[in-house]
Amino acid sequence: MTTMVGISLHGRSVVMVGGGAVTARRLERFLGDGAVVRVVAPELSPSVQNLVDTHRLTWIRRRFRAVDVAGAWLVHTATGDPSADAHVVSACERKQILCINAADGGHGSARLAAETRSGDVVVGVVSDASVDPRRAARLRDAVGALLREGSLPLRRRRATPRGRVDLVGGGPGPADLMTVRGRRLLAEADVVIADRLGPTDVLADLDPDVEIIDVGKQPGHHPVPQHEINALLVAHARAGKRVVRLKGGDPFVYGRGGEEVTACLAAGVPVEVVPGLTSVVSVPQSAGIPITHRGTAAGVHVINGQAAITSSTLAALADPTVTTVVLMGVAALPRLVAAAEAAGVPGDRPVAIVERGHTPEQRTTRTTLGRAVADAAAANVQNPAVIVVGDVARADLLLPATQLAGDATR
Ligand code: SAH
């Protein structure tokens, strides 16, 4: 029978016998755990040699002798010669030192678990009977996949002395357009502070006792002011909670993420930012619009439609090689078009308005600068929408390429 124990190797002496591929793999793992490793082998493979050089490890350049295990907490043998490995195992047995024997079927007193990690959680697989590394690895991978999906109960039940805040970019809406890291942090969170935009579906999958605070703008309700959001983040983290601030798109693109980071840092609360797919790129993409395209658009100018129109925006609108992407721009469209026309931007510049990108209600209105206001009104275009101005917004932009691809496969 086997008892699985989590051993902390940090700063502890480990002896590895043998200089081949198995040693190289495990050596990396032990070094990653902070072990102090010495290697016993008459010769080393290039990868072990490389690790020995890089980490300045002690290499005892000869065959194993029983004295080599003195002072070790753990010994690992992978000589490729079963009788040599058995000799190491028995030397360890006499000294009561745990020994992992990599030889096929040749057990030592310890075995290495196939491991997968998620944040501070380590899940290991070992077998009670004879070793079966492929089965262990497959099981490990299956558990790892569930951990990455955020579908396992990762949330700590015991409060940590220090809470923290993670600003998670949720992407444009669908849960599977979130990052793996974002999903994991959500699964670990005690408190989630969410907006109206972004992946709100994932909130329904959280534990019933996770506190969800909606600070987003709802029709008829006032949004929570930014300084109050900052205060909420700090207060929950100070109470020892793991706080996720879930945002639509990317936290640092018109998300006021910078202010939230500053508020946390000022309060001494640990804070990290997880990037998300910003609607600047992903919403045009959902309508088949590449915001840069070789030979068509070499640069991108991104603006907040509610802000003042600057000379750099007018220059971008006038430049046929630049794509202008407008967020929060539905209400401001008439003002933007009037300013562009007054600055002499040609009225036939293509415009695409993409509403609710990456959702089932997605809709794209194709128009031109000159007709944009009338067409948007006729279509009753609503927020959230991304407005794209430039040649990449032409409906037929990618068509020739598609036909060429079709020709090539014929
Ligand atoms: N941090 C976000 C942007 C927040 S500002 C990001 O990186 O995407 C909010 C604006 O984003 C909206 O007014 C709209 O212009 C745009 N937006 C966000 N999600 C959208 C979606 N699914 N479809 C269309 N526009 C979207």
Side-chain angles (χ1 to χ4, degrees), residues 3-356:
T3 301
M4 210 155 88
V5 183
I7 300 176
S8 163
L9 292 178
H10 189 87
R12 304 223 152 95
S13 163
V14 172
V15 172
M16 302 197 73
V17 186
V22 178
T23 295
R25 269 202 315 276
R26 308 270 174 87
L27 180 53
E28 261 181 297
R29 187 158 153 189
F30 292 152
L31 290 173
D33 292 341
V36 180
V37 182
R38 41 183 211 275
V39 180
V40 184
E43 53 213 27
L44 302 181
S45 69
S47 48
V48 176
Q49 181 76 60
N50 190 20
L51 287 165
V52 164
D53 293 345
T54 316
H55 297 272
R56 297 164 185 243
L57 306 179
T58 304
W59 172 24
I60 301 166
R61 189 173 189 165
R62 54 163 170 74
R63 290 175 63 86
F64 173 79
R65 293 187 201 144
V67 291
D68 295 336
V69 300
W73 289 72
L74 181 70
V75 172
H76 180 278
T77 182
T79 61
D81 169 358
S83 68
D85 288 331
H87 177 44
V88 177
V89 171
S90 58
C92 290
E93 204 67 31
R94 283 195 301 275
K95 295 255 171 62
Q96 300 178 10
I97 297 169
L98 289 172
C99 181
I100 299 163
N101 182 0
D104 200 14
H107 278 321
S109 50
R111 54 188 76 174
L112 212 53
E115 273 178 23
T116 182
R117 285 166 192 265
S118 179
D120 64 337
V121 170
V122 188
V123 178
V125 180
V126 294
S127 160
D128 245 356
S130 67
V131 289
D132 187 345
R134 292 224 184 116
R135 178 182 71 173
R138 292 186 59 166
L139 261 171
R140 183 261 326 270
D141 291 345
V143 174
L146 291 173
L147 284 168
R148 282 190 298 278
E149 271 171 22
S151 52
L152 294 181
L154 272 172
R155 193 151 72 90
R156 282 187 80 95
R157 295 287 140 177
R158 187 176 292 184
T160 48
R162 272 188 103 195
R164 63 180 238 208
V165 173
D166 289 286
L167 266 58
V168 173
D176 58 356
L177 288 179
M178 276 187 77
T179 63
V180 170
R181 189 182 301 176
R183 290 296 294 270
R184 168 172 66 78
L185 289 167
L186 260 187
E188 292 173 357
D190 304 307
V191 179
V192 178
I193 302 186
D195 281 335
R196 184 176 52 97
L197 292 176
T200 41
D201 285 359
V202 292
L203 300 178
D205 298 339
L206 299 177
D207 266 5
D209 54 346
V210 175
E211 188 177 351
I212 300 173
I213 305 171
D214 181 359
V215 293
K217 290 180 218 167
Q218 301 281 356
H221 291 79
H222 287 297
V224 178
Q226 188 62 46
H227 69 269
E228 279 181 28
I229 298 176
N230 297 350
L232 276 173
L233 294 172
V234 169
H236 284 290
R238 279 193 172 149
K241 300 285 172 62
R242 296 279 307 262
V243 184
V244 164
R245 172 73 176 108
L246 181 63
K247 293 169 163 295
D250 185 275
F252 280 1
V253 179
Y254 301 130
R256 305 193 71 170
E259 291 157 72
E260 292 171 1
V261 167
T262 303
C264 291
L265 293 177
V269 166
V271 57
E272 275 181 42
V273 182
V274 180
L277 290 178
T278 177
S279 59
V280 172
V281 182
S282 66
V283 169
Q285 183 275 337
S286 70
I289 300 171
I291 59 171
T292 74
H293 189 60
R294 197 176 173 85
T296 303
V300 184
H301 184 75
V302 180
I303 59 167
N304 167 2
Q306 295 172 340
I309 299 164
T310 63
S311 56
S312 65
T313 293
L314 294 173
L317 289 167
D319 186 337
T321 71
V322 170
T323 303
T324 301
V325 178
V326 188
L327 268 57
M328 297 172 275
V330 171
L333 187 62
R335 194 163 58 90
L336 187 71
V337 169
E341 284 178 338
V345 179
D348 62 354
R349 290 222 73 192
V351 172
I353 307 173
V354 188
E355 296 167 82
R356 297 179 296 276

